[in-house]
Amino acid sequence: MTDDPFSAPFGSLFGDKMTVARLDDGVYSYPGEAQPFENFSMHPGAHVLHYASACFEGLKAHRQSDGTLAIFRLDDHVARMVNSIDQIQVPVPDPALIRSLILDSVEANASFTPEPPGSLYIRPTFIGTTPNIGAAASPADEGLLYVLCSPVGDYFAGGIRPLTIYVETKTPRTTPQFGMVKSGANYVMALGPTLDAKRDHGADQVLFATGDDTTETGASNFFLVDDDTVITRQLDETFLHGITRDSVVTMAQDLGYKVEERPISAGELGEWAGHGELFLSGTAAVIAPVGTVVVGGASVMVGDGQPGANTLRIRDALTDLLIGDAPDPHGWRTPVAG
Ligand SMILES: Cc1ncc(COP(=O)(O)O)c(C=O)c1O
């Protein structure tokens, strides 16, 4: 297998260190430094393996144009991880602990960071390890909180290429009360509809529009844009509050676009494709242009099917910010040694 992050599948390579804190009797303990990357040994009756007591985060460290390293929106990702841990009913760690686990893991794996457009993808994870297969109705009280680092190239093989999106109006991605939780169970629930859409429509992603209310794909938020306006779904508890989404909303305002956060029907997506642009946003995907929308049984080309000028403008502005080629007016970059 290749160890080149630009040809290896996204997320399949790892640094050689990790940070691990243990949860025992409601208390987290962390030795205070990274350890060698190694397998865990776990009881086959561990809570996570039966009752899905797991959640995670995804953020990135980028090599800056001056050679330093910086993590993008560290504290926002820490806050979202805290919320996810709370929602799986596990004792919530001090946010400062999650922050230290991330910083120490990135520092220890810094030499694995590829040059842009590559980055070091960071994966904070919690798993419940209580060995009790009778504990379906009680939360895990033992667990591991750990941070892996993975050198990555492009999320979508082929770099910036227009994606095909299938709009799913019947099957939901997950349950509404778990929409904001970055829990593994959500992703496995979205897998069936995603594989169906790949097979039947050549789709790269499914955009979930349950009950004609378009929210997000299996791994990203979505935007409509034209020369004047940027539109995305208003926040509520039914979908993940993307940190890239928030960055795009803020940056679009800075760039002079009018920003609308409101409901978007599947019909509006099809209509918008006739005159505007569509793109997806996420830490892994960054900004991914959509070239074709399959909606209501029809395949609709977005513009001329190629990445639009506004999508590329927003993507370039975000990329410049990620890699330190633009000022950081909102304080989104956290420097890390290495
Ligand atoms: C379901 C889902 N929606 C949206 C996003 C985008 O979130 P972010 O921009 O914070 O990566 C992700 C990626 O983490 C996701 O998994």
Side-chain angles (χ1 to χ4, degrees), residues 18 29 69 89 98 126 147 153 160 164 223 230 241 246 251 276 295 325:
M18 61 201 236
S29 53
L69 189 59
Q89 310 302 322
I98 304 178
F126 178 88
V147 179
I160 304 190
T164 297
F223 284 86
V230 165
H241 296 188
D246 183 73
M251 284 174 29
V295 55
D325 265 353

Side-chain angles (χ1 to χ4, degrees), residues 264-279:
I264 298 160
S265 68
E268 183 174 5
L269 289 175
E271 234 169 73
W272 188 270
H275 58 85
E277 303 166 32
L278 267 101
F279 65 84

